[in-house]
Amino acid sequence: MGLIDENTSGVFVISVTPFDEQGAIDWRSLDRVTDFYFEAGADGLTILGMMGEAPKLTQAEALEISRRVIARAGNRPVVVGVSAPGLAALRELSMAAMDIGAAGVMVAPPGSLQTDTQIHAYYGQVVNVLGPDVPVVLQDFPLATKVAISDEVLARIINDFPSIKMLKHEDWPGLQKITKIRQAEAAGQRRISILCGNGGGFLAEEMARGADGAMTGFGYPEMMVQIARLMTAGEKDRAHDLFDAYLPLIRYESQPGLGLAVRKHVLAQRGAIASPALRAPGSGLTAAAAAEVDYLISRQERRLKELG
């Protein structure tokens, strides 16, 4: 399995972590959902992200999930989320994940970072403890982390720390950030891969601005795969027509605090996981919400048939 680099492109699906109703990891469903993502056309996976309920796992569980998914993925790349409050735990999981074949590690900034100097210094510390040979994905998701990384600080990080190979772009609004990065590269800044999050809600626009693909989750990962391919091929109208068919469900899933429950419900309905259960603290959809999601799915299926 190869490592991610500055030219990595395509769709890396953020994987859910399946649990049973008692909160135990459902290993059989983990195998099944891994297969499901690749059958939908994913180029790679990212595990142990925020939507993978990573903070609810023990370090031992995180490593065993990594081992299981990397083995199941075969020669396809798997990025492992390793964000942690301290660098010791971050390094321990990173080194173990790389030893078993991870393609890279993803690091979000801790919420304690308040200034530009602190943000830049933190990523310097990360690459120092990991060493120059571990490819790092910088997760820029200020709506969740409460850490705003300015264009200027991001440029300094890119220039100063070459082992940061990829930006997981989830700033919102953030399209201009993509444009500025690509403009800086045209002026001589080193290239960095940009894969985008936010549930695919702006994927067509992000790719038009210069993003290389998506690194996010959705109950229908084939949507992201198809839109990325259509935008790469220059079929903008077709990409937007397809996106419009999925938009009501994307909108519903984008509700803060509810998105993962919606996603797991859809994946369970599609047979990718056995149960939509979230590990505590966390709860699934109410009966009313589940009925609303099922209605949106039925309308989506009809619209996709009309599109052909």
Side-chain angles (χ1 to χ4, degrees):
M1 182 186 300
L3 302 178
I4 59 167
D5 61 25
E6 63 276 5
N7 295 308
T8 296
S9 62
V11 174
F12 280 57
V13 177
I14 296 285
S15 177
V16 299
T17 302
F19 300 103
D20 64 22
E21 296 296 334
Q22 288 71 47
I25 297 169
D26 182 347
W27 298 103
R28 192 169 294 179
S29 285
L30 184 61
D31 290 341
R32 190 183 313 138
V33 79
T34 299
D35 295 343
F36 170 82
Y37 289 137
F38 285 120
E39 288 165 4
D43 298 287
L45 296 182
T46 301
I47 59 174
L48 308 183
M50 294 179 186
M51 288 301 224
E53 299 178 77
K56 303 176 187 177
L57 301 170
T58 67
Q59 193 86 333
E61 287 176 328
L63 181 55
E64 187 54 36
I65 288 170
S66 301
R67 183 177 290 111
R68 185 97 168 206
V69 174
I70 289 168
R72 191 81 179 183
N75 62 353
R76 292 164 295 200
V78 177
V79 172
V80 178
V82 297
S83 302
L87 292 177
L90 185 153
R91 183 184 187 280
E92 180 181 87
L93 181 55
S94 296
M95 295 298 100
M98 296 305 296
D99 285 346
I100 58 177
V105 299
M106 181 172 70
V107 181
S112 58
L113 304 181
Q114 300 296 319
T115 68
D116 291 348
T117 299
Q118 289 173 339
I119 295 167
H120 180 271
Y122 175 75
Y123 279 100
Q125 292 170 335
V126 168
V127 301
N128 183 58
V129 300
L130 296 184
D133 298 326
V134 176
V136 175
V137 179
L138 189 162
Q139 184 175 14
D140 182 17
F141 192 11
L143 274 71
T145 64
K146 310 306 180 187
V147 178
I149 305 177
S150 68
D151 297 330
E152 293 75 20
V153 171
L154 185 56
R156 287 175 55 208
I157 290 171
I158 292 170
N159 284 324
D160 293 346
F161 310 127
S163 61
I164 296 179
K165 303 294 186 182
M166 179 186 293
L167 174 67
K168 185 180 191 297
H169 174 271
E170 301 190 83
D171 204 349
W172 188 0
L175 294 173
Q176 190 60 20
K177 181 173 279 188
I178 299 172
T179 296
K180 287 186 176 180
I181 291 171
R182 295 308 189 213
Q183 288 175 340
E185 290 170 356
Q189 178 176 288
R190 75 174 178 91
R191 192 183 199 282
I192 190 169
S193 170
I194 303 175
L195 299 187
C196 297
N198 288 320
F202 302 93
L203 182 56
E205 291 83 2
E206 288 160 345
M207 294 202 65
R209 295 288 190 114
D212 298 295
M215 182 181 279
T216 191
F218 183 54
Y220 289 83
E222 59 268 37
M223 177 275 290
M224 299 180 292
V225 172
Q226 292 167 343
I227 288 177
R229 291 175 179 172
L230 288 167
M231 289 300 294
T232 299
E235 297 185 46
K236 181 177 179 180
D237 287 344
R238 176 65 179 172
H240 279 272
D241 288 343
L242 185 66
F243 175 81
D244 290 348
Y246 290 99
L247 182 55
L249 187 58
I250 293 171
R251 173 185 57 83
Y252 200 96
E253 190 187 281
S254 69
Q255 297 176 82
L258 194 66
L260 182 57
V262 174
R263 191 174 301 173
K264 281 194 160 183
H265 175 82
V266 173
L267 291 171
Q269 292 289 85
R270 301 189 74 190
I273 56 177
S275 168
L278 279 68
R279 179 175 271 188
S283 58
L285 299 181
T286 64
E292 289 164 349
V293 172
D294 293 342
Y295 173 72
L296 294 178
I297 291 172
S298 68
R299 286 181 55 84
Q300 175 181 288
E301 290 173 348
R302 291 198 299 272
R303 181 58 182 145
L304 289 171
K305 288 180 181 177
E306 293 170 359
L307 287 173

